[in-house]
Amino acid sequence: MNATQQHMLDAYRASVHQQTAPPAPGTNEWQMVREFRTWCAFRAVVDERVAARRARLAGLFAFLRPSTVSRATTAPAPAPAVAPAPSPSAGRPDAVRQPADRLGDGCGTPAQCRS
């Protein structure tokens, strides 16, 4: 029996006993998910996991925040070098320039194969 059939049976029983019909399946699922997420966040605060996680992540990613690193110990960044032009790799032979009659149409089909 699937959820729809169970709902129909419950609605029939409710009408026989002159009670209100139960909600349709899936009606309050998002509300339940939100409440569960709120409960988990609450338990994390009570168990002090949030503070421990924040402290651990702050230590791990301190290098990303230059304001936390003292300026006296950091050396000035070197000037960016000009990157060489990328060369085609063995994995992408199509990156090599081809004659005009061999250029693709953007979908992977060579121009000479189009009819």
Side-chain angles (χ1 to χ4, degrees), residues 16-82:
V16 167
H17 296 293
Q18 298 172 346
Q19 298 172 347
T20 59
T27 303
N28 298 323
E29 287 179 1
W30 286 111
Q31 180 181 1
M32 190 271 308
V33 169
R34 277 188 228 106
E35 289 174 0
F36 180 73
R37 191 175 11 180
T38 304
W39 173 251
C40 288
F42 169 74
R43 291 300 309 163
V45 169
V46 170
D47 295 340
E48 298 178 357
R49 286 180 286 170
V50 174
R53 185 180 325 129
R54 283 186 186 147
R56 186 174 60 246
L57 290 176
L60 287 174
F61 296 114
F63 69 93
L64 293 176
R65 289 177 275 127
S67 62
T68 60
V69 179
S70 69
R71 300 281 181 197
T73 60
T74 59
V82 177

